[in-house]
């Protein structure tokens, strides 16, 4: 462990992270999935409210139901599809961009494909 990880802290989130995740690769992957789901749900909510639309109004523009929009804005929902995100983006005069960014602190290995 690095000195930074052994450094005492009173940050509750850091304490929980150390106790629960503790650099376990499976737990780290699950945490990243949860963060991604949360980010998508929050982005949909933020875009909708910025456009001053109700869930029902956005649903009508997208061609779906308000309950679908409600589920998409729920951080625990893991059924986001690129097709639906594109429909929402189009209804809000936006486009979807997907980025692949490095994960901090993870060693990167080069893969050779033949």
């Amino acid at each position: 462990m690095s000195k930074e990880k052994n450094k005492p802290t009173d940050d509750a989130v850091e304490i929980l992270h150390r106790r629960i995740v503790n650099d376990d690769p499976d737990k780290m992957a699950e945490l990243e999935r949860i963060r991604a789901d949360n980010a998508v749900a929050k982005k949909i909510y933020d875009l909708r409210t910025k456009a001053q639309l109700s869930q029902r109004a956005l649903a009508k523009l997208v061609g779906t139901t308000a309950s679908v929009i409600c589920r998409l804005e729920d951080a625990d929902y893991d059924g986001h599809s690129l097709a639906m995100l594109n429909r929402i983006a189009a209804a809000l005069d936006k486009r979807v961009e997907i980025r692949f960014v490095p994960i901090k602190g993870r060693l990167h290995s080069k893969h050779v494909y033949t």
Side-chain angles (χ1 to χ4, degrees), residues 20-43:
I20 297 169
V21 177
N22 196 27
D23 291 334
D24 178 294
D26 291 335
K27 290 179 181 175
M28 290 295 290
E30 177 67 8
L31 181 59
E32 287 304 314
R33 186 195 63 75
I34 290 167
R35 285 179 176 155
D37 288 345
N38 186 57
V40 170
K42 184 175 181 342
K43 189 60 158 176

Side-chain angles (χ1 to χ4, degrees), residues 38-55:
N38 186 57
V40 170
K42 184 175 181 342
K43 189 60 158 176
I44 293 169
Y45 171 82
D46 290 346
L47 288 169
R48 178 182 62 76
T49 57
K50 185 176 181 181
Q52 298 181 333
L53 294 171
S54 66
Q55 289 178 339

